[in-house]
Amino acid sequence: MNWLLIAFIVALIVSPVMWLKPSPKQKRVARLREHARKAGVRVKLAAPPLHAAGKQMPSYRWGYPGEQPGPRFVAVRESASSGVLKPVCHGWRWRIEPLRPLPDEVFQRLEALLTRLPQDALVLESEVHGLTLWWYESQGPERFDSYLGDMAALRDSLAGRPDRPSTLKPLVK
C-alpha cells in the first residue's frame, strides 16, 4: 500500500513537468519557423485576410525591397473562398485582384506556385511591403525548402510593380 501511495505522489510531481514538454508537432513547427527565419522569411501569427477568419494563423512573409513595393492582391484557396469570386487558377480564386494585370511571365510563375502549395496553404497575399503565405505549417523544413526558391522568384518578379505609381518628385534646378 505504501508503494502505491509513493507512486501516486511521484506521478503528481512529475505530471506537470510532462505537460511542459513540447509535443513532436510543436518541435517540428519550431524547427520549421527557425529554418524559415534563417532563410530570411519573417514568421508571425496574425489574423489572415479571410472573411470571418476569427482566429490567428501562421504567416510567412518575403519582404519587397523598400524602394520596390509590390502590387496588392489576395489569392484564396477555393475551400476557404466563395464560389462567386473570380478564379485565378485551378483551386484558387481572387479575393482581391491586382489593379494592373500581371505580365504573362509573372502570372505563369504565380500560377505554378499556387498549384503546388500544400493543401493547408489557404492564402497568398501581396501588398506594398511583402509577399505573404498563410498556412498551417503541415510540412517540415526539408519540404519547405522546395518552396523557398519559387517564393523568392515570385517576390522578385513582383517587386517594383505597385498598383499606384509613386508620387512624382519635384524637379531640382
Side-chain angles (χ1 to χ4, degrees):
M1 182 69 176
N2 289 339
W3 289 107
L4 186 59
L5 184 60
I6 292 171
F8 180 72
I9 292 172
V10 169
L12 283 176
I13 294 171
V14 172
S15 64
V17 173
M18 296 304 289
W19 291 336
L20 297 175
K21 182 180 175 188
S23 69
K25 180 182 177 185
Q26 290 170 330
K27 289 178 185 178
R28 181 187 53 77
V29 168
R31 282 193 320 271
L32 173 64
R33 289 178 182 178
E34 184 60 29
H35 183 76
R37 282 187 194 101
K38 287 179 181 176
V41 180
R42 184 174 174 215
V43 180
K44 71 176 188 175
L45 291 175
L50 293 171
H51 180 69
K55 63 179 184 173
Q56 293 189 334
M57 184 176 185
S59 67
Y60 286 59
R61 182 184 204 173
W62 287 257
Y64 292 126
E67 65 279 356
Q68 294 184 318
R72 172 84 171 120
F73 67 78
V74 177
V76 180
R77 189 171 291 279
E78 281 184 351
S79 62
S81 69
S82 168
V84 298
L85 298 176
K86 182 179 176 183
V88 178
C89 62
H90 178 71
W92 291 84
R93 296 186 175 271
W94 290 120
R95 176 145 189 242
I96 299 174
E97 192 171 358
L99 290 178
R100 296 187 306 159
L102 299 174
D104 287 339
E105 177 185 316
V106 176
F107 184 77
Q108 288 172 359
R109 184 170 279 145
L110 171 66
E111 185 177 32
L113 177 64
L114 289 175
T115 56
R116 65 182 291 269
L117 285 173
Q119 288 298 312
D120 66 329
L122 297 183
V123 178
L124 183 65
E125 175 185 28
S126 175
E127 42 87 24
V128 175
H129 302 292
L131 183 64
T132 306
L133 174 65
W134 299 84
W135 69 312
Y136 285 112
E137 304 168 313
S138 63
Q139 300 176 352
E142 302 78 23
R143 182 75 173 133
F144 182 72
D145 278 344
S146 71
Y147 303 114
L148 280 175
D150 292 339
M151 289 295 287
L154 179 60
R155 180 220 32 219
D156 294 344
S157 62
L158 290 170
R161 298 182 184 279
D163 291 328
R164 295 185 180 104
S166 59
T167 58
L168 297 174
K169 296 178 183 177
L171 293 174
V172 178
K173 289 185 179 181

